[in-house]
Amino acid sequence: LELSEARHFKTAGAKEWSACIISDFHAYDPLPGRLEAASAMMDKVFEYDKETDWVLHLGDVCAWGGSYSFWQNLYENEYFKKFMWAGVNGNHDNMSRKYELTNQYFKNASFYPRNGYGGEEGVCYFFKYNDALFIMLNNENMRETGGLEAAMQWVRKVIAENPSRYII
């Protein structure tokens, strides 16, 4: 088992901060232009805001989550090395090439906080960034009443136990 390079990011303390938001670039090694286009978009954001602190992704950063080489190459991108990334999974992040869906690809390729609820640890998670509480949910698991109810109970508990000026 080969371990990846450890990366550490400060997640609190800044009085003012800004984040870049990106999604759905579907990194796919045979078509490197997808990740190049995402990087070019981020170049523009960082050109405008040189003080950007971190990146929020809204899912589907990988074309096929079950292709771990896509995740490996994605995490070699300069922006993944330079910034803290927080994100949610999309259906493509959960997808094998046979269209089988599981959040394990997203969970195992990333290392988000394991503070979520049963079966969703590392996929659903929360973190505080200064006076903001970020709660990341797995909408792929909230299509049915049971998944939605479990998420709602967890969100209520997280908010009650983590007083914050802003809740996102």
Side-chain angles (χ1 to χ4, degrees), residues 58-60 87-94 101-107 116-126 135-144 146-152 154-155:
L58 304 178
D60 287 342
V88 296
N89 62 322
N91 64 317
H92 284 262
D93 301 321
N94 290 354
L101 297 172
T102 175
N103 65 17
Q104 295 302 303
Y105 304 133
F106 179 83
K107 176 182 178 176
Y117 58 96
E120 293 294 322
E121 298 89 350
V123 178
C124 293
Y125 60 96
F126 71 91
I135 302 173
M136 312 309 252
L137 294 167
N138 176 6
N139 73 320
E140 297 295 314
N141 193 40
M142 296 179 352
R143 295 175 189 213
E144 314 241 338
L148 179 59
E149 185 58 37
M152 289 174 19
W154 177 70
V155 167

Side-chain angles (χ1 to χ4, degrees), residues 17-35:
W17 52 269
S18 64
C20 171
I21 301 174
I22 189 168
S23 111
D24 292 276
F25 52 87
H26 298 261
Y28 181 56
D29 293 353
L31 297 174
R34 292 178 177 185
L35 184 54

Side-chain angles (χ1 to χ4, degrees), residues 73-138:
N73 291 336
L74 181 62
Y75 290 147
E76 287 301 315
N77 177 279
E78 67 177 295
Y79 288 127
F80 274 87
K81 290 182 173 184
K82 183 176 180 180
F83 291 96
M84 178 189 94
W85 281 66
V88 296
N89 62 322
N91 64 317
H92 284 262
D93 301 321
N94 290 354
M95 192 182 299
S96 75
R97 291 195 175 229
K98 294 182 180 182
Y99 300 97
E100 299 164 336
L101 297 172
T102 175
N103 65 17
Q104 295 302 303
Y105 304 133
F106 179 83
K107 176 182 178 176
N108 294 330
S110 307
F111 196 75
Y112 292 120
R114 302 301 203 238
N115 58 16
Y117 58 96
E120 293 294 322
E121 298 89 350
V123 178
C124 293
Y125 60 96
F126 71 91
F127 68 97
K128 290 182 87 168
Y129 198 89
N130 199 13
D131 54 359
L133 172 64
F134 286 84
I135 302 173
M136 312 309 252
L137 294 167
N138 176 6

Side-chain angles (χ1 to χ4, degrees), residues 51-70:
E51 302 300 317
T52 301
D53 296 287
W54 60 283
V55 179
L56 170 65
H57 80 77
L58 304 178
D60 287 342
V61 295
C62 230
W64 303 96
S67 297
Y68 284 105
S69 64
F70 295 177

